[in-house]
Amino acid sequence: MVELRNITKDMMTVVEGSYAVAHATKVCKPNVISAYPITPQTHIVEELSQFIADGEIENCDYINVESEFSALSTLVGSSATGARTYSSTTSQGLALMHEVLFNASGMRLPIVVTVVNRALSAPINIWNDQQDSVSERDSGWIQLYAEDVQEAADMVAQAYKVGEDPDVMLPVMVCMDGFLLSHVYEPVVLLEEDLIDDYLLPFDPKYKLDPKDPKTFGAFAPPASYTEFRYAQEQAMSAALDKIEKAADDFYDVFGRYYGGLIDEYKTDDADIIIMAKGSIIGTIRDVIDNLRENGVKVGLLKVRALRPFPKDAIKEVVKDSSVVITLDKNISPGVNEGALCTETKACMYNSDINVPVIGYMIGLGGRDIPEDTIENIVDEAKEVINSGISTESQFTDLREDLI
């Protein structure tokens, strides 16, 4: 359950979401920031540039590059020397980083990148869905998804805490919905600089590039050894499950703000119908649940904060006594006709003793509005599944027949 302890109005400042994330990054004391503009993440690196110009970030190199490929490549080299690194990107920019994403993870470099989620082209679309980051879920990066601006900012510190842990050492994407969170102005508590040292230790990796102690990163691996590198990577992802939970708990102890660990729950204890989702849609779902509960509908929310590592055990524990699970995905895997949450939720329950039907909906693609009545209609369809069984396993929502 989301909890904000001892927060008063005088502690809050109305800022743009991008500013809150940039400020959180500043407070975490990065040593290298790489920047390449692309809508809607540009405001983050612009704010960081201003912080650098004003002398508010010490011992930090701000590097303007010629592409997103170069932006991440710069951080790979920097992180390998023991620097704490940061960048932000979105959509086609993240896609251009694709090759380097695997390099960063394979070399176990805990780079943090804020992904301001935006639809992928073609056709060209600058509005929000989560196809960009979801398409990179197999690149070996931890992926965390924020519900609101406060969580997106606070997740930056949690991302460094998790990624830089010696048992993990993996890069982290902090994902926030484009425009809906990056450009909205709302009251937040800016990450407190006087508390960050109690939460986040300086980055001091065991292995780093040093001319006085030469090492090789990303070396050639023949078939006799490559599998073991991938095994170690998977073991690190498994270790991150507990580390994400601990980072959230520790953050609450220091800052008094909690958003869940791997997941968060809302009114799931007696729920017949459980809605699963991630990102900014969560707020709308909470309102719908409150309205439906007043009318006697037992519906609850399972908010997914971590898509990677996927919290299989936590999800199974929440849904095991429900009658039906709804997954809402701002992405689609063409040819499967499902979103990632739908596919992976079904997979994690397969071969278990949990036999709860899962129905999926692709929703909000390309920034299409998601009104409350759309979610209410989906819940009505879930009631029919309870009564009559599944007729359609996964489907698009709010299709415009006049455009088909």
Side-chain angles (χ1 to χ4, degrees):
M1 178 66 183
V2 172
E3 186 169 345
L4 305 178
R5 184 182 63 202
N6 301 326
I7 301 298
T8 59
K9 289 183 178 179
D10 63 304
M11 298 171 62
M12 307 185 87
T13 306
V14 176
V15 296
E16 187 188 48
S18 294
Y19 180 92
V21 170
H23 181 275
T25 303
K26 175 188 77 169
V27 169
C28 291
K29 302 180 179 71
N31 304 117
V32 179
I33 298 169
S34 64
Y36 189 81
I38 179 172
T39 301
Q41 70 83 20
T42 305
H43 289 185
I44 296 175
V45 290
E46 283 181 346
E47 297 290 357
L48 286 167
S49 175
Q50 191 64 55
F51 290 145
I52 293 284
D54 293 342
E56 295 185 31
I57 308 178
E58 298 178 352
N59 303 315
C60 180
D61 290 320
Y62 185 93
I63 304 174
N64 291 305
V65 294
E66 77 279 4
S67 73
E68 291 87 359
F69 182 95
S70 295
L72 190 54
S73 296
T74 296
L75 298 190
V76 165
S78 301
S79 182
T81 67
R84 178 173 287 163
T85 59
Y86 177 84
S87 190
S88 59
T89 191
T90 184
S91 187
Q92 310 300 134
L94 181 62
L96 188 58
M97 289 180 174
H98 179 74
E99 176 184 341
V100 194
L101 294 174
F102 285 82
N103 292 339
S105 178
M107 287 191 275
R108 309 292 293 279
L109 302 174
I111 298 162
V112 171
V113 171
T114 298
V115 177
V116 183
N117 291 115
R118 170 190 143 186
L120 284 161
S121 304
I124 296 172
N125 180 293
I126 64 168
W127 291 274
N128 165 252
D129 63 32
Q130 297 166 349
Q131 191 72 52
D132 50 1
S133 56
V134 169
S135 296
E136 301 294 351
R137 66 190 183 276
D138 295 334
S139 61
W141 284 58
I142 293 168
Q143 288 194 5
L144 306 176
Y145 287 79
E147 173 183 347
D148 55 27
V149 171
Q150 186 73 69
E151 185 174 13
D154 291 346
M155 259 187 181
V156 175
Q158 294 184 30
Y160 283 118
K161 180 88 164 179
V162 173
E164 293 175 358
D165 189 287
D167 293 332
V168 179
M169 294 297 290
L170 288 172
V172 185
M173 293 182 195
V174 176
C175 303
M176 62 186 295
D177 285 346
F179 292 110
L180 298 171
L181 298 185
S182 61
H183 284 58
V184 70
Y185 281 77
E186 61 185 38
V188 298
V189 180
L190 295 174
L191 193 65
E192 299 93 328
E193 191 163 3
D194 59 332
L195 297 178
I196 196 67
D197 290 340
D198 295 330
Y199 178 75
L200 188 61
L201 296 174
F203 181 43
D204 185 23
K206 183 177 181 180
Y207 303 107
K208 57 186 175 184
L209 294 177
D210 184 349
K212 297 178 182 178
D213 184 18
K215 294 180 179 65
T216 298
F217 277 58
F220 185 80
S225 61
Y226 182 86
T227 296
E228 285 66 34
F229 279 93
R230 285 291 169 261
Y231 176 78
Q233 200 175 31
E234 176 56 34
Q235 292 297 103
M237 275 286 183
S238 295
L241 289 164
D242 288 338
K243 302 296 183 178
I244 292 168
E245 295 277 6
K246 187 175 187 308
D249 291 339
D250 290 349
F251 193 90
Y252 179 70
D253 291 341
V254 175
F255 296 94
R257 302 190 290 276
Y258 182 78
Y259 315 93
L262 295 161
I263 63 171
D264 191 30
E265 301 174 57
Y266 185 64
K267 300 186 178 181
T268 59
D269 288 346
D270 64 342
D272 294 324
I273 300 169
I274 291 180
I275 304 173
M276 289 181 61
K278 60 190 192 312
S280 63
I281 192 178
I282 295 296
T284 303
I285 296 172
R286 291 183 197 275
D287 291 340
V288 170
I289 287 173
D290 289 342
N291 294 336
L292 292 175
R293 283 277 177 172
E294 290 180 0
N295 294 315
V297 182
K298 292 183 177 181
V299 57
L301 165 69
L302 197 167
K303 165 185 166 181
V304 177
R305 295 184 79 234
L307 183 65
R308 284 292 183 272
F310 193 65
K312 295 181 286 187
D313 291 340
I315 289 170
K316 287 190 287 187
E317 182 63 28
V318 173
V319 306
K320 64 181 182 181
D321 295 323
S322 63
S323 299
V324 63
V325 174
I326 300 166
T327 60
L328 303 182
D329 275 294
K330 288 187 174 183
N331 65 88
I332 180 174
S333 181
V336 181
N337 193 35
E338 289 182 350
L341 275 183
C342 183
T343 299
E344 301 203 7
T345 299
K346 290 190 298 183
C348 81
M349 291 192 288
Y350 191 75
N351 287 336
S352 77
D353 57 358
I354 301 172
N355 190 28
V356 179
V358 178
I359 53 174
Y361 293 84
M362 282 75 74
I363 192 166
L365 300 183
R368 181 163 294 181
D369 191 30
I370 306 171
E372 291 187 4
D373 58 4
T374 290
I375 299 174
E376 291 170 356
N377 291 338
I378 288 171
V379 172
D380 286 340
E381 292 179 14
K383 294 177 188 176
E384 291 301 314
V385 170
I386 296 174
N387 296 328
S388 307
I390 295 176
S391 58
T392 302
E393 200 163 351
S394 184
Q395 60 186 292
F396 287 85
T397 56
D398 295 338
L399 280 175
R400 289 183 54 187
E401 297 295 334
D402 60 311
L403 296 180
I404 298 174

Coordinates of all heavy atoms in Angstrom, one line a residue, residues 27 57 79 114 145 168 218 231 260 340 349 365 393:
V27 N 20.8 14.8 -6.8 CA 21.0 14.5 -5.4 C 21.8 13.2 -5.2 O 22.5 13.0 -4.3 CB 19.7 14.4 -4.6 CG1 19.8 13.8 -3.3 CG2 19.1 15.8 -4.5
I57 N 26.0 20.4 -9.2 CA 26.5 19.0 -9.3 C 28.0 19.1 -9.4 O 28.5 19.6 -10.4 CB 25.9 18.2 -10.4 CG1 24.4 18.3 -10.5 CG2 26.3 16.8 -10.3 CD1 23.7 17.6 -11.6
S79 N 31.1 4.0 -16.7 CA 30.8 3.1 -15.6 C 31.9 2.0 -15.3 O 32.1 1.7 -14.2 CB 29.4 2.4 -15.9 OG 29.0 1.5 -14.8
T114 N 16.6 6.8 -17.1 CA 15.2 7.1 -17.1 C 14.6 6.9 -18.5 O 15.0 7.7 -19.4 CB 14.9 8.5 -16.5 OG1 15.4 8.6 -15.2 CG2 13.4 8.7 -16.5
Y145 N 8.8 0.5 -13.0 CA 7.7 1.4 -13.6 C 7.1 2.2 -12.5 O 6.6 1.7 -11.5 CB 6.7 0.5 -14.3 CG 7.2 0.0 -15.6 CD1 8.0 -1.2 -15.6 CD2 6.9 0.6 -16.8 CE1 8.5 -1.7 -16.8 CE2 7.4 0.1 -18.0 CZ 8.2 -1.1 -18.0 OH 8.7 -1.6 -19.1
V168 N 24.2 -7.7 -7.3 CA 23.4 -7.5 -8.5 C 24.3 -7.0 -9.6 O 24.4 -7.7 -10.6 CB 22.2 -6.5 -8.2 CG1 21.4 -6.2 -9.4 CG2 21.3 -7.1 -7.1
G218 N 34.1 -7.1 -21.2 CA 33.5 -7.4 -22.4 C 34.3 -8.2 -23.4 O 34.3 -8.0 -24.6
Y231 N 24.3 -17.4 -17.3 CA 23.8 -17.9 -16.1 C 24.0 -16.9 -14.9 O 23.1 -16.7 -14.1 CB 24.5 -19.3 -15.8 CG 24.1 -19.9 -14.5 CD1 22.9 -20.5 -14.3 CD2 25.0 -19.8 -13.4 CE1 22.6 -21.1 -13.1 CE2 24.6 -20.3 -12.1 CZ 23.4 -21.0 -12.0 OH 23.1 -21.5 -10.8
G260 N 5.4 0.3 -2.5 CA 5.5 -1.1 -2.8 C 6.9 -1.5 -3.1 O 7.8 -0.7 -3.3
A340 N 2.8 -7.9 -22.6 CA 3.8 -8.6 -21.8 C 3.2 -9.1 -20.5 O 3.5 -10.3 -20.1 CB 5.0 -7.7 -21.6
M349 N 2.0 -18.9 -13.8 CA 1.1 -19.8 -13.1 C 1.0 -21.2 -13.7 O 0.5 -22.1 -13.1 CB -0.3 -19.2 -13.1 CG -0.4 -17.9 -12.2 SD -2.1 -17.4 -11.9 CE -2.5 -16.7 -13.5
L365 N -2.8 2.5 -26.4 CA -1.6 2.5 -27.3 C -1.6 3.8 -28.0 O -2.6 4.4 -28.4 CB -1.8 1.4 -28.4 CG -1.8 -0.1 -27.8 CD1 -1.9 -1.1 -28.9 CD2 -0.6 -0.3 -26.9
E393 N -9.3 -14.5 -25.1 CA -8.2 -14.5 -24.2 C -7.6 -13.2 -24.1 O -7.1 -12.7 -23.0 CB -7.2 -15.6 -24.5 CG -6.3 -16.0 -23.4 CD -5.6 -17.3 -23.7 OE1 -6.0 -18.0 -24.7 OE2 -4.8 -17.7 -22.9

